[in-house]
Structure formats: C-alpha cells, structure tokens
Amino acid sequence: MKTAKVSVTMPDLSVRDIGEYGVDDALAAFDAFPWEDELRRMKQLAEKGEEVISPDMMFTVSRYDFSATVHKSPREINVELCVPKNVNIFGLFPLRTTKYFRFLKVSRFQMEGLLRAFISIPTDEQFAYFSAKKKA
C-alpha cells in the first residue's frame, strides 16, 4: 500500500508535518483538521495587515505533490497536483517530465476521488487518468 507524507501550510505561512499515511488515514487527517478555525485565523491576521495565505494540506508521494487548498469552506476545495508524463523526443529519446493539473472549487467528495487516485493509481498511469478527468 502506498503512503503519502502529509503536511499543512497554515495562514501565517508556517508549515507543519502531520505524518505519513495511507489514503484512508490521509483523508481522516484532512477531515480532522480545524479548517474553520484556520480560516478565522487567516481573516484575523489579514485584518491586522499580516501576510497570509489560505490554509492547505499537501500530500506527497515520491516526489509528486497533491495540494488541497481551502479558501472559504472545507466544502469547496482547490486541488493542484503534479504527476509524471513520459515523452519521447524525436521518437528516440525517452524523457520524463512533470505535468500539473488544477481542479478548482471541487467538493469534498470530488477531492476524495482525486486523492484516492493520486495515492492509489500506479505512477505511470496517473497522467492518462488525470488528463481524462480534466476533460470530463
């Protein structure tokens, strides 16, 4: 079973490592995180003139990342992820690059499906999977 390293970026730009989990525990960590508290804290810091960002949770498998950012509510999530893409230069030279995908304003249910795929699908199949999801 593949696992993901999970970390959180807080509104004050600090980063906190949470642990390494399989997909079910990673989703439980997302659900247990106090998103509403951190959104209130973000607003308070912004009102004081502090530099802030929306809180997000990062899931890293190998060297590829999946970021779930909460701007207003944990029921509306922006997902950004990167996966490997294999290409051949002139049909002769194999090269592995990185492809980035963005899924904006997805539900918690949709985010779960994307995260399950990110953690569970073999790395070499992820580009095709997420490309098809983006077109749907």
Side-chain angles (χ1 to χ4, degrees):
M1 170 179 76
K2 285 171 49 174
T3 60
K5 292 180 184 175
V6 181
S7 61
V8 177
T9 304
M10 309 299 270
D12 65 2
L13 306 173
S14 64
V15 177
R16 185 174 55 184
D17 289 330
I18 296 180
E20 189 161 339
Y21 304 111
V23 69
D24 290 329
D25 290 332
L27 286 162
F30 181 87
D31 291 336
F33 188 76
W35 295 107
E36 299 291 347
D37 293 344
E38 291 306 318
L39 291 168
R40 276 191 293 281
R41 188 165 151 242
M42 179 181 74
K43 185 177 178 184
Q44 292 168 346
L45 291 170
E47 288 171 352
K48 292 179 184 179
E50 304 268 340
E51 183 178 351
V52 297
I53 61 168
S54 295
D56 74 50
M57 190 169 283
M58 179 80 68
F59 306 88
T60 304
V61 177
S62 298
R63 58 180 229 241
Y64 302 102
D65 299 317
F66 180 109
S67 175
T69 304
V70 175
H71 294 287
K72 296 179 182 175
S73 164
R75 291 172 298 284
E76 187 176 279
I77 305 158
N78 286 351
V79 171
E80 295 184 27
L81 59 98
C82 61
V83 297
K85 179 181 179 187
N86 295 321
V87 296
N88 284 316
I89 299 174
F90 305 117
L92 299 173
F93 305 102
L95 178 68
R96 179 172 268 191
T97 64
T98 301
K99 172 68 177 167
Y100 295 86
F101 292 93
R102 294 180 75 198
F103 299 88
L104 303 178
K105 296 183 178 181
V106 300
S107 68
R108 162 59 180 79
F109 178 77
Q110 291 167 311
M111 186 279 292
E112 177 176 337
L114 293 169
L115 183 60
R116 285 187 181 283
F118 179 77
I119 294 175
S120 302
I121 291 176
T123 305
D124 288 339
E125 297 173 22
Q126 289 180 342
F127 173 74
Y129 177 85
F130 288 110
S131 292
K133 277 289 196 192
K134 197 66 181 164
K135 292 175 185 174

